[in-house]
Amino acid sequence: CCLDSGVGAARAGNLTFMVGGVEQEFDAAKELLICMGSNVVYCGEVGTGQAAKICNNMLLAISMIGTAETMNLGIRLGLDPKLLAKILNMSSGRCWSSDTYNPVPGVMEGVPSANNYQGGFGTTLMAKDLGLAQISATNTKTPVPLGSQAHQIYRMMCAKGYALKDFSVVFQFLREEESL
């Protein structure tokens, strides 16, 4: 079984469990999983829960990097970050990274960016999941150029001291990289 959404979702009981295995065993365990999470999804045979998790996290990493880049550009163009986030979230650019977990300090309360990127889903864990996605893509001969780029970015972040911060710290990483 694999879970998604991180520490905050665990505390709130909003985890998503992606489960692979024998369906009868899933049915027996589902009642317990529902106590801990709001979404419990049977994915198929053993390994499919992990596959769903790494696919989800690859998309999450890509969208977080895109949100961080977009917010950074908007700020540099003179836009207020709260206004830009509001516009994005009512427009076609809206995604979980912008409307629920914004990476810019001061835009949202209760997210890691509002707490010096503490808590949440660690950069090291994101780099690990992106590595698993890369291995899977290689094994299945699936092109994932954005997933590959995201993996490189998160690996660099780990090497440059961001390993223990929430993965949304990519916003801070990009801002610091541009000044070099």
Side-chain angles (χ1 to χ4, degrees):
C1 131
C2 298
L3 53 98
D4 177 51
S5 302
V7 176
R11 286 190 187 114
N14 294 331
L15 290 173
T16 295
F17 287 91
M18 296 156 263
V19 184
V22 178
E23 192 164 7
Q24 293 83 352
E25 292 174 4
F26 164 77
D27 291 339
K30 186 175 181 179
E31 293 295 320
L32 290 174
L33 296 175
I34 287 174
C35 294
M36 296 180 283
S38 56
N39 300 304
V40 180
V41 181
Y42 179 68
C43 298
E45 63 187 46
V46 171
T48 56
Q50 178 71 13
K53 179 183 187 264
I54 64 173
C55 289
N56 180 74
N57 284 359
M58 185 174 76
L59 179 58
L60 176 57
I62 292 166
S63 69
M64 184 57 76
I65 293 166
T67 300
E69 287 182 354
T70 298
M71 293 297 293
N72 189 29
L73 177 61
I75 291 165
R76 289 183 146 281
L77 291 171
L79 292 168
D80 174 84
K82 286 184 178 182
L83 175 64
L84 178 56
K86 179 180 176 181
I87 291 167
L88 292 174
N89 295 334
M90 64 172 68
S91 302
S92 56
R94 184 185 59 77
C95 63
W96 187 85
S97 297
S98 69
D99 74 1
T100 305
Y101 210 81
N102 198 288
V104 180
V107 170
M108 298 182 79
E109 295 298 318
V111 295
S113 63
N115 188 30
N116 194 30
Y117 300 100
Q118 299 301 310
F121 188 70
T123 296
T124 301
L125 292 173
M126 183 58 84
K128 175 199 61 89
D129 282 355
L130 289 167
L132 294 172
Q134 291 301 292
I135 291 166
S136 298
T138 299
N139 290 342
T140 59
K141 297 180 172 70
T142 305
V144 291
L146 294 178
S148 180
Q149 185 65 42
H151 185 220
Q152 292 304 313
I153 290 168
Y154 278 95
R155 287 180 58 203
M156 280 192 300
M157 290 170 60
C158 288
K160 292 192 174 191
Y162 296 93
L164 300 179
K165 300 277 189 174
D166 178 74
F167 80 104
S168 63
V169 76
V170 69
F171 174 78
Q172 183 178 333
F173 170 75
L174 292 170
R175 294 197 42 104
E176 290 177 7
E177 285 296 300
E178 73 190 13
S179 65
L180 297 178

